[in-house]
Amino acid sequence: MVLIHTLLVGQPETVTDEGGEWRSAIFRQPANGPVKLHRRGLVGDQVADTKNHGRPDQAVCCHPLDHYSYWNDLYERKSPDSMLVPGGVGENWTLSGVTERDVSVGDIFKVGSAKVQVSGPRYPCTKQERKLKLPGFYRRTIETLRTGFYLRVLTPGTVEAGDAWTLEERPHPDLTVHGINVCGHRTFDPDFAEQALDVPELASNWKRILESKLDKQRSG
C-alpha cells in the first residue's frame, strides 16, 4: 500500500553558505493535519525558481521513503542527528510503499479527497546537494535513478500525512518513471522515447529532453 508518510510545505527563503547567497523553497517542513491541494500545489507551499519549477505538471513533488535508507547507508549517516529524513531533498510528499519502478506516467490515484496523476520523474537539482552538503549527491542521484517524481492535480481536494493512494487508472503500464529515467539518464532508447513522446500525460520538460536526444541521434 502506498501512503503519504510525511507531507511538507515551504516558502522561498534566502540562505547564505560558503558558496554565497542563494534562494530556494527546498527547506520544506512537515505540515500537521489536513492541507488543501489545488491544481498548482499545496496551500502554504511555493517555489523560488519559477523558471524550472511550479508548472501544473509539477504540482506535487514526491520522494520514496526507501531512498533515505540508501542515502544514509551510502554516506554513513548513522546517528539520529546526522541521518537524512523525509523532506531532505525538498519534496512535498515522502511516500512509503513505492519507488519509481512502481508508478507509470499517466497513473491516476485517489488521495484523500483529491485525484492526482503521475507526470514524470523529478529532474535532479544541484540545490539538493547544496542543501545536504553531501559531496557527489547530485551525480549519484542520477547514477542510481533515485529521483522521485511529480504529480499533476486532476481534482483539487484535501490531503494529509497517512492518506493511502488508490489506483484508479493505469493507461501506460510500460511507461514507468524508472523507464523514463533510464532512457533520459542512462541508456537512450529511441523506440522507447518515441513511445513516451506520444503520451500526452508526460510532463513537458521531459518531452523536450527526449525530443532533444532524438534530434541529436538523427543528426548523428
Side-chain angles (χ1 to χ4, degrees):
M1 177 183 292
V2 182
L3 297 172
I4 301 178
H5 178 277
T6 308
L7 186 150
L8 307 105
V9 296
Q11 296 287 318
E13 56 184 284
T14 301
V15 181
T16 302
D17 58 18
E18 61 276 5
E21 188 176 276
W22 56 295
R23 189 165 175 80
S24 178
I26 199 171
F27 295 88
R28 291 183 169 88
Q29 297 296 318
N32 296 317
V35 179
K36 289 189 179 297
L37 177 64
H38 297 311
R39 293 193 184 276
R40 286 280 183 173
L42 296 158
V43 168
D45 189 74
Q46 291 186 4
V47 299
D49 179 4
T50 55
K51 178 181 178 181
N52 295 303
H53 303 288
R55 294 187 298 272
D57 55 21
Q58 298 174 319
V60 182
C61 180
C62 299
H63 200 75
L65 179 65
D66 284 354
H67 292 351
Y68 285 109
S69 295
Y70 174 84
W71 295 123
N72 285 323
D73 287 343
L74 180 67
Y75 286 98
E76 298 182 343
R77 296 292 186 101
K78 305 298 185 184
S79 62
D81 61 339
S82 69
M83 292 177 69
L84 274 64
V85 297
V89 296
E91 74 271 21
N92 296 118
W93 295 354
T94 313
L95 302 177
S96 63
V98 69
T99 72
E100 294 84 354
R101 295 177 182 271
D102 304 314
V103 291
S104 298
V105 173
D107 283 1
I108 296 175
F109 291 92
K110 179 82 176 334
V111 188
S113 62
K115 284 188 182 181
V116 297
Q117 183 178 59
V118 177
S119 60
R122 179 186 190 180
Y123 202 92
C125 174
T126 55
K127 288 181 179 178
Q128 295 167 273
E129 180 171 330
R130 190 170 187 178
K131 172 184 182 286
L132 296 173
K133 303 183 187 301
L134 295 176
F137 187 85
Y138 172 76
R139 174 178 56 81
R140 285 173 172 143
T141 298
I142 293 176
E143 288 175 349
T144 64
L145 307 181
R146 287 175 164 83
T147 62
F149 54 92
Y150 279 113
L151 307 172
R152 62 172 57 88
V153 178
L154 301 182
T155 304
T158 301
V159 294
E160 63 182 311
D163 280 348
W165 287 31
T166 302
L167 180 64
E168 294 200 338
E169 294 182 38
R170 175 161 285 166
H172 313 292
D174 296 333
L175 201 66
T176 65
V177 170
H178 177 75
I180 296 289
N181 271 334
V182 170
C183 190
H185 295 300
R186 187 176 290 170
T187 305
F188 182 67
D189 180 342
D191 292 334
F192 184 90
E194 292 278 11
Q195 176 189 351
L197 288 171
D198 284 339
V199 171
E201 297 92 342
L202 180 64
S204 57
N205 67 313
W206 271 100
K207 290 200 171 187
R208 288 193 296 271
I209 290 168
L210 297 179
E211 284 172 346
S212 176
K213 288 180 176 291
L214 276 172
D215 288 343
K216 286 181 180 178
Q217 185 178 75
R218 289 165 181 158
S219 63

